[in-house]
Amino acid sequence: MKVGIPREIGLGERRVAATPENTRRLILLGFDVVIETGAGELASFQDADYEAAGATIAPDAATIWGTVDVVLKVRPPEPIEGGGHEADLLREGATLISFIWPSKNPELLARLSQRKATVLAMDQIPRITRAQKMDALSSMANIAGYRAVIEAASFFGRFFTGQMTAAGKVPPAKVMIIGAGVAGLAAIGAARSLGAIVRAFDTRPGVKEQVESMGAEFLELQYEEEGAGEGGYAKEMSPAFIAAEMALFGEQARDVDIIITTALIPGKPAPVLITPEMVESMRKGSVIVDLAAENGGNCALTQPGKVTNHRGVTIIGYVDLPSRLAPTASQLYGANLGHMLADMGGAKAWHVDLEDEVVRGALIMKDGEITWPPPRREKPAEPMSMKRPPSSRPGARPISTKPAAPKPAEAHGAAPRLSVPAWPLLLAAAAIALASHFAPGAFVAHLTVFVLACFVGWQVVWNVTPALHTPLMSVTNAVSGIILIGGMLKVAGPLAEPATIIAAVAILLAAINVAGGFLVTQRMLKMFIRSEPGEKK
């Protein structure tokens, strides 16, 4: 089965759908890989690198499109300079996997339908845990967020980090990031690593801990409204919330040096969050990087694809930020494609499984028949333990605090029903009674100590909050707790007896194990706490 990677013809596009390393993985999956000559040159990958990885070099794009079974691309098929269209070159019945953006490209879907093609869109991968390794949008957003900070630094006329020099003091740059998704978090990490003071805002309160864990300040509004939408994106907010939000941005614009915006709502133009008045209120030399430029921009003055200057404020509207880190972007995107092909069975068991949630979500067309959008997946019932009471939800009506009417059995004084079956307890009681009747008294005493140690020792350590120790440590500490309780019950005997000495040694070793378990856990947790510059962990 042949997989083909043509050269990207989009203006300014430097990425390629597979690097030499990705090519080796595809060959291990059983595919014959064909690369168009020069496909990876703009990403610093030469034809010789692909040949060394085991690929075949094709002389032109027509050879790729017309002969392979699966075409892997970055951008959607585009018109060819001089006439024609890439989609018309696709072999009839072949498979295309790339970014498609189906809601924006109905004409492209019509062309591909005429070719009886099977099309999977990397931009439609469901945002679920199992699909993270195939989530190309997150891979590219991560790169865009990092690159946004680098672009801002190149236009900003000062250091990001503050410095105290013999010539005077240089204050640190202040950066505000709007949107704390994948791109926003990547931008926070890059700006903090350069020493800037970083502030971030997001309509989803759940990202506050992520922002603060990376050393940034989370900007909050005194206005309660849930901002989380489907697929991990933010939803469109109410007019009252937006008014409060705009007031916050206006206040911050007068204080910060750099603004990076990442706010997007799927299927809609980017919301305008930075008005001309806000831009004019910023200090001369400030920078705005608009990651939503391709969808119109979050800044009212953004010109997609261009860098403009408005009254001393630089506004960057690049729409190709991932392409500006082409080697890394190509590597990550190629890895996403490799995982997709592996999940579809590789070359030996290749199939389009309509029951696979990831494949069905990304499937745009099957044998020329348009299958997008996929059927809506019913949400699983929310566990009762995870549900918030209605009164805690914004806008919910208050609920009565009167206790519920008792059940009939409880009303008559009946004992509550046990969730644990009674027969194991009865069996254990019978076994102890039998042992006490026939076994020596010393054995019964030891058995009692053992049972008590197991029950009490386990519960003492096991019920410690999971935030203080990992699951593995909790199990080992619970076992050590059993030893501690048993040893404490036996150490009360005469000091000269071997059992007392053994119990004392057991207590010492178990205590060291428990203390060491908590110490190791604390050190593991500190690895995820970002310290301030110059602060010791």
Side-chain angles (χ1 to χ4, degrees):
M1 190 172 186
K2 287 186 177 182
V3 167
I5 294 93
R7 181 172 56 86
E8 298 294 327
I9 63 174
L11 183 63
E13 182 59 67
R14 302 173 181 86
R15 292 172 291 178
V16 62
T19 67
E21 183 178 339
N22 302 139
T23 299
R24 293 187 186 95
R25 174 174 172 78
L26 295 177
I27 291 174
L28 289 176
L29 291 174
F31 294 103
D32 296 326
V33 182
V34 184
I35 310 281
E36 183 184 351
T37 182
E41 284 185 355
L42 295 180
S44 303
F45 303 115
Q46 306 302 319
D47 290 349
D49 300 329
Y50 288 105
E51 288 182 313
T56 302
I57 304 300
D60 52 34
T63 303
I64 299 286
W65 288 95
T67 60
V68 301
D69 302 293
V70 181
V71 175
L72 304 181
K73 270 183 61 46
V74 179
R75 297 172 63 92
E78 300 179 70
I80 301 172
E81 186 178 355
H85 197 285
E86 285 184 312
D88 297 334
L89 299 177
L90 184 64
R91 181 176 66 82
E92 188 168 318
T95 299
L96 170 66
I97 306 178
S98 71
F99 284 112
I100 297 295
W101 310 110
S103 61
K104 300 179 183 177
N105 295 307
E107 294 182 1
L108 174 60
L109 297 187
R111 285 180 179 272
L112 292 171
S113 180
Q114 293 176 0
R115 306 303 300 165
K116 301 291 190 293
T118 296
V119 181
L120 291 101
M122 296 303 289
D123 50 278
Q124 297 297 313
I125 296 289
R127 287 198 151 178
I128 58 176
T129 302
R130 187 172 71 83
Q132 286 181 349
K133 60 186 178 181
M134 295 167 266
D135 189 355
L137 286 177
S138 292
S139 298
M140 298 302 102
N142 180 27
I143 294 172
Y146 171 84
R147 184 69 188 193
V149 175
I150 303 303
E151 294 291 344
S154 69
F155 285 92
F156 187 55
R158 299 204 318 267
F159 292 135
F160 264 50
T161 184
Q163 291 191 10
M164 182 69 72
T165 70
K169 180 181 178 182
V170 178
K174 296 178 182 179
V175 180
M176 179 176 69
I177 296 168
I178 301 177
V182 176
L185 293 175
I188 291 171
R192 287 286 296 131
S193 66
L194 290 175
I197 297 173
V198 183
R199 304 164 184 171
F201 174 83
D202 199 288
T203 59
R204 298 161 294 184
V207 304
K208 177 181 179 181
E209 292 183 0
Q210 300 177 45
V211 169
E212 293 178 341
S213 70
M214 299 186 72
E217 176 189 355
F218 186 74
L219 301 173
E220 294 186 85
L221 288 178
Q222 301 303 317
Y223 190 97
E224 291 189 1
E225 184 174 347
E226 179 60 49
E230 294 185 6
Y233 293 99
K235 71 174 185 180
E236 192 170 1
M237 308 302 289
S238 68
F241 184 95
I242 292 174
E245 180 183 65
M246 297 297 280
L248 173 65
F249 296 159
E251 178 185 348
Q252 290 295 320
R254 292 188 291 272
D255 185 48
V256 301
D257 303 297
I258 295 170
I259 297 177
I260 298 175
T261 65
T262 71
L264 281 173
I265 299 174
K268 295 185 178 182
V272 176
L273 304 176
I274 306 298
T275 63
E277 292 76 19
M278 295 180 193
V279 176
E280 292 170 4
S281 70
M282 298 179 72
R283 289 189 288 267
K284 301 295 187 291
S286 298
V287 180
I288 297 174
V289 185
D290 195 339
L291 295 186
E294 193 168 4
N295 281 21
N298 295 138
C299 176
L301 301 177
T302 296
Q303 295 185 27
K306 298 181 180 180
V307 177
T308 57
N309 189 289
H310 182 79
R311 295 190 179 182
V313 177
T314 301
I315 303 171
I316 302 174
Y318 292 147
V319 296
D320 60 347
L321 286 173
S323 183
R324 291 170 180 264
L325 285 175
T328 302
S330 299
Q331 176 63 36
L332 295 181
Y333 181 70
N336 295 142
L337 289 173
H339 289 304
M340 170 66 83
L341 295 178
D343 269 27
M344 296 179 72
K348 297 181 180 178
W350 176 263
H351 66 293
V352 179
D353 185 2
L354 297 180
E355 299 301 320
D356 186 316
E357 185 178 1
V358 178
V359 173
R360 184 63 188 90
L363 189 65
I364 303 300
M365 186 178 300
K366 179 74 166 65
D367 298 327
E369 181 181 351
I370 296 178
T371 60
W372 180 84
R376 291 183 63 86
R377 183 170 59 96
E378 294 184 4
K379 291 185 178 180
E382 187 178 5
M384 292 299 295
S385 60
M386 298 296 291
K387 289 184 178 180
R388 293 186 296 172
S391 60
S392 67
R393 296 172 186 160
R397 296 180 180 178
I399 59 173
S400 173
T401 57
K402 293 181 180 180
K407 295 181 179 180
E410 295 175 356
H412 290 83
R417 187 176 181 180
L418 294 175
S419 60
V420 179
W423 66 268
L425 300 177
L426 296 175
L427 186 62
I432 294 175
L434 189 64
S436 64
H437 183 73
F438 293 101
F443 174 80
V444 175
H446 288 306
L447 179 63
T448 303
V449 170
F450 176 73
V451 172
L452 184 61
C454 287
F455 180 76
V456 177
W458 182 279
Q459 292 297 326
V460 163
V461 181
W462 185 262
N463 285 327
V464 174
T465 173
L468 297 181
H469 55 184
T470 64
L472 177 61
M473 289 299 177
S474 67
V475 174
T476 58
N477 283 353
V479 173
S480 298
I482 294 174
I483 299 172
L484 278 171
I485 297 297
M488 285 165 33
L489 292 173
K490 295 300 295 181
V491 82
L495 295 177
E497 289 191 2
T500 304
I501 298 174
I502 293 173
V505 173
I507 291 174
L508 175 62
L509 296 178
I512 292 174
N513 192 37
V514 171
F518 285 121
L519 179 61
V520 169
T521 301
Q522 287 299 316
R523 294 188 66 178
M524 292 174 63
L525 291 174
K526 285 182 179 179
M527 294 170 61
F528 300 93
I529 299 176
R530 190 179 182 91
S531 60
E532 296 295 328
E535 178 185 348
K536 292 184 178 180
K537 290 187 177 182

